[in-house]
């Protein structure tokens, strides 16, 4: 079936290094994607979004890349900090399912000091 | 800007009991969502409201779950009777509309069924 999924369930990086979190999606009808960060005991926090008419979008220390050809989304975090440790979810908006937001399973990012 | 408020933060009940969760969205947000997040998984949409009308409740187990947003602002989600598999975090989110806009989440209610 169709799904939004993440390639790696866990990612461990050294403080100061760059992090890359990947996401694969299978629904070609999706045209809006969001990355969320979820810390323990809290709700998902919006990080950055991207529409399908773009292939790159930058925020503060974060960059999202979208490759529609291979249906792949990535989140890059520059100079990763201990405060970046959390679970990261990608989500896609499926217009052939009433605009429902579908979340992947998540990648846990652990930052080593 | 105040975020999405949810209460209670935690709830423990026995199976077959009933429980209700409350959500106050961000002021001015017309669209409100309830999600269920089982441990280790991403959130799953249960129901979406646009003002006080239901837009999508296709994944809401209607034999036991109900939700309302009578005045188009606050919302309540109820489970009656609860089952063991309902143990999860129930998240509320809101957005200005239903278009390509990020949804903003509250911190959820963690429900444990004994």
């Amino acid at each position: 079936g169709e799904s939004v999924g993440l390639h790696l369930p866990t990612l461990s990086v050294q403080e100061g290094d760059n992090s890359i979190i990947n996401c694969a999606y299978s629904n070609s009808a999706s045209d809006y994607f969001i990355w969320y960060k979820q810390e323990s005991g809290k709700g998902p926090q919006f990080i950055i979004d991207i529409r399908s008419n773009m292939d790159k979008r930058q925020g503060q220390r974060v960059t999202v890349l979208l490759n529609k050809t291979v249906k792949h989304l990535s989140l890059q975090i520059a100079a990763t900090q201990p405060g970046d440790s959390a679970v990261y979810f990608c989500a896609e908006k499926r217009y052939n399912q009433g605009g429902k937001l579908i979340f992947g399973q998540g990648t846990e990012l652990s930052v080593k000091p | 800007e105040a975020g999405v408020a949810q209460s209670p933060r935690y709830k423990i009940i026995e199976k077959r009991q009933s429980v209700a969760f409350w959500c106050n969205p961000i002021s001015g947000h017309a669209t409100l969502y309830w999600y269920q997040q089982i441990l280790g998984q991403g959130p799953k949409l249960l129901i979406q409201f646009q003002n006080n009308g239901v837009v999508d409740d296709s994944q809401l187990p209607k034999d036991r779950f109900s939700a309302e947003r009578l005045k188009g602002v606050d919302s309540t989600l109820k489970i009656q009777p609860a089952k063991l598999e309902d143990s999860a975090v129930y998240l509320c989110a809101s957005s200005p509309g239903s278009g390509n806009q990020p949804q903003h989440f509250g911190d959820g209610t963690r429900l444990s069924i004994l």
Side-chain angles (χ1 to χ4, degrees):
Chain A
E2 295 179 333
S3 66
V4 175
L6 297 173
H7 291 314
L8 296 173
T10 60
L11 177 65
S12 183
V13 301
Q14 203 71 37
E15 181 178 359
D17 287 351
N18 296 334
S19 302
I20 299 176
I21 301 172
N22 295 304
C23 179
Y25 67 96
S26 56
N27 192 322
S28 56
S30 298
D31 65 354
Y32 179 59
F33 303 87
I34 309 174
W35 280 101
Y36 284 94
K37 171 187 180 184
Q38 188 172 27
E39 296 174 281
S40 180
K42 295 192 175 181
Q45 176 188 359
F46 169 78
I47 302 173
I48 193 166
D49 58 1
I50 189 167
R51 291 167 173 73
S52 60
N53 60 352
M54 305 170 70
D55 53 19
K56 180 179 180 178
R57 191 164 188 222
Q58 289 184 292
Q60 187 176 15
R61 283 200 307 118
V62 295
T63 301
V64 55
L65 299 177
L66 175 63
N67 185 330
K68 295 179 288 294
T69 302
V70 295
K71 298 189 183 67
H72 184 268
L73 194 67
S74 68
L75 177 70
Q76 300 178 1
I77 305 174
T80 313
Q81 303 168 0
D84 295 327
S85 293
V87 177
Y88 289 80
F89 292 97
C90 66
E92 65 172 313
K93 198 154 194 178
R94 297 186 176 181
Y95 282 96
N96 64 349
Q97 292 185 26
K100 194 189 309 278
L101 197 61
I102 304 296
F103 283 78
Q105 194 164 1
T107 291
E108 183 173 9
L109 176 64
S110 176
V111 182
K112 297 177 288 186
Chain B
E1 177 182 74
V4 176
Q6 290 189 248
S7 67
R9 289 284 283 128
Y10 305 93
K11 191 73 178 178
I12 301 173
I13 61 172
E14 294 184 348
K15 60 183 179 184
R16 291 187 288 275
Q17 286 187 323
S18 62
V19 63
F21 314 123
W22 174 82
C23 173
N24 186 18
I26 293 172
S27 178
H29 281 195
T31 311
L32 184 146
Y33 313 81
W34 283 102
Y35 286 85
Q36 180 192 60
Q37 186 174 24
I38 293 172
L39 186 65
Q41 298 181 15
K44 184 186 82 171
L45 180 69
L46 292 174
I47 189 167
Q48 175 183 340
F49 290 94
Q50 181 72 18
N51 296 308
N52 62 350
V54 175
V55 173
D56 183 351
D57 63 357
S58 58
Q59 297 192 94
L60 187 73
K62 299 180 189 62
D63 58 333
R64 298 183 301 104
F65 286 64
S66 65
E68 59 183 16
R69 193 185 184 201
L70 294 176
K71 296 183 179 179
V73 181
D74 294 5
S75 177
T76 55
L77 176 69
K78 297 179 181 178
I79 308 174
Q80 182 179 13
K83 292 186 175 181
L84 292 175
E85 61 260 35
D86 298 332
S87 292
V89 176
Y90 290 85
L91 295 162
C92 180
S94 70
S95 61
S98 57
N100 286 346
Q101 302 158 317
Q103 298 174 19
H104 299 274
F105 285 81
D107 286 337
T109 297
R110 182 175 298 276
L111 176 65
S112 296
I113 311 295
L114 303 179

